[in-house]
Amino acid sequence: MTSLDKLKNAWEGLAGRDALSAILTDDSKTGGKWNVAEFMATGDAEIETVMSHLASIGYPPDFGGAALDFGCGVGRLTQALAKRFASCVGVDISEQMIQQAESLNQYPHCCYVASSSSELPFDDGSFAFLYSNIVLQHVPRALAKNYLREFVRVLAPGGVLVFGVQDSFAAPDLSSRMVRVRHVLHLRSRIRVALKRDSGDMQMHLLPEAIVRRALAPAKVVDVRFTNTAARDFNGKLAYLDRPPASGYIGKQYCVVKDQ
Ligand SMILES: C[S@@+](CC[C@H](N)C(=O)[O-])C[C@H]1O[C@@H](n2cnc3c(N)ncnc32)[C@H](O)[C@@H]1O
């Protein structure tokens, strides 16, 4: 079984059990307790945060073009993009996620595609904007690097790409041997706590900045921000952080622009 087959099986299982809780792992909402409107509203708030940020750094996307949401799940973010762009596509490895996204679709200019390939099923230069959040962190590194190259390929000249990854795991400052032993023990227990997020078959993978930049070249990385996407209380409430968290996963959001 390839790593893509394993990913697809895992997400079909998660989507079949409780898709919304697999996407936003709020402990109080497991077992079908997410209110759908409340869940979808987190997507609208997240896209609003991203668009305000892009405007503030001088890279607003072309809303007259097409947007792509990679790893769209049930369309939490896709529907928010559809509200803002002339057309919109959500793509996901899980057919069950795509079926649920279609049943929640409010827009005739928005559509969903299931794809379990390492290549995106779109022509070169198709999209003015591409967004992906809380997806690549679940994808093995070799595959994730390939998707980054694919993101750049399907982006139109002048297009804007925004995606989140988990860059690394926060380690303590180690100075003396005794301190080092204590810190290693603490770090192990913090890793165990963080890994509780990896419920069931949900894998977590790191993608450090040097690797991200190499995979995206020659497209230009214009902005990198620390984010709260792996925090236990994330629940769709995207925030930009002034500094990396002191412990746990260090999330980064990249903004990339393709040359005209
Ligand atoms: C945590 S959910 C996030 C869904 C959506 N981005 C959101 O924030 O609401 C991760 C999604 O990524 C999808 N996914 C995982 N690996 C993928 C791949 N290789 N290609 C496309 N989608 C993938 C899963 O099926 C799942 O729907």
Side-chain angles (χ1 to χ4, degrees):
M1 193 186 269
T2 67
S3 55
L4 260 178
D5 293 334
K6 281 189 201 149
L7 256 186
K8 178 169 163 50
N9 284 351
W11 283 102
E12 293 296 8
L14 289 162
R17 286 197 287 280
D18 184 354
L20 304 193
S21 289
I23 292 167
L24 295 182
T25 51
D26 180 334
D27 292 342
S28 70
K29 303 285 204 269
T30 46
K33 292 200 200 99
W34 263 112
N35 169 286
V36 176
E38 197 187 323
F39 176 88
M40 298 303 279
T42 66
D44 201 47
E46 177 169 334
I47 294 301
E48 190 53 43
T49 300
V50 171
M51 293 306 158
S52 302
H53 177 62
L54 292 179
S56 76
I57 59 170
Y59 292 99
D62 171 12
F63 294 103
L68 175 65
D69 178 13
F70 174 78
C72 62
V74 302
R76 182 179 75 92
L77 302 161
T78 331
Q79 291 294 286
L81 292 171
K83 198 165 142 184
R84 292 161 174 86
F85 284 84
S87 66
C88 187
V89 182
V91 63
D92 200 281
I93 198 168
S94 158
E95 284 161 30
Q96 293 203 53
M97 287 287 187
I98 290 296
Q99 279 163 18
Q100 295 184 48
E102 282 168 343
S103 73
L104 292 169
N105 189 8
Q106 310 267 346
Y107 299 93
H109 62 273
C110 175
C111 68
Y112 291 99
V113 179
S115 170
S116 50
S117 164
S118 59
E119 278 149 30
L120 297 180
F122 308 107
D123 292 338
D124 297 4
S126 303
F127 298 98
F129 183 65
L130 195 159
Y131 188 66
S132 184
N133 197 22
I134 54 172
V135 178
L136 290 178
Q137 64 196 40
H138 301 303
V139 175
R141 187 176 289 181
L143 261 178
K145 285 196 301 187
N146 199 61
Y147 285 124
L148 291 182
R149 289 188 281 268
E150 283 289 281
F151 291 173
V152 174
R153 179 183 68 75
V154 301
L155 206 60
V160 177
L161 159 64
V162 177
F163 63 91
V165 298
Q166 300 308 322
D167 177 271
S168 45
F169 206 85
D173 178 24
L174 307 178
S175 40
S176 76
R177 206 182 165 87
M178 277 312 291
V179 171
R180 181 190 308 236
V181 170
R182 273 206 310 276
H183 277 307
V184 167
L185 292 174
H186 279 179
L187 181 61
R188 280 200 190 141
S189 80
R190 285 213 299 266
I191 290 173
R192 270 198 301 275
V193 168
L195 289 182
K196 283 195 183 146
R197 248 184 92 76
D198 308 356
S199 53
D201 299 317
M202 213 184 283
Q203 318 164 10
M204 286 294 274
H205 298 275
L206 300 176
L207 207 52
E209 186 162 337
I211 292 176
V212 170
R213 285 180 179 271
R214 266 202 301 280
L216 292 168
K220 197 163 69 177
V221 175
V222 295
D223 186 64
V224 185
R225 300 280 154 164
F226 295 115
T227 64
N228 64 337
T229 47
R232 289 189 70 77
D233 62 351
F234 167 63
N235 292 328
K237 296 190 273 297
L238 177 68
Y240 298 108
L241 310 177
D242 294 337
R243 59 184 72 83
S247 64
Y249 290 103
I250 298 179
K252 284 188 182 174
Q253 184 188 81
Y254 291 80
C255 174
V256 180
V257 174
K258 188 167 168 177
D259 274 349
Q260 290 283 355

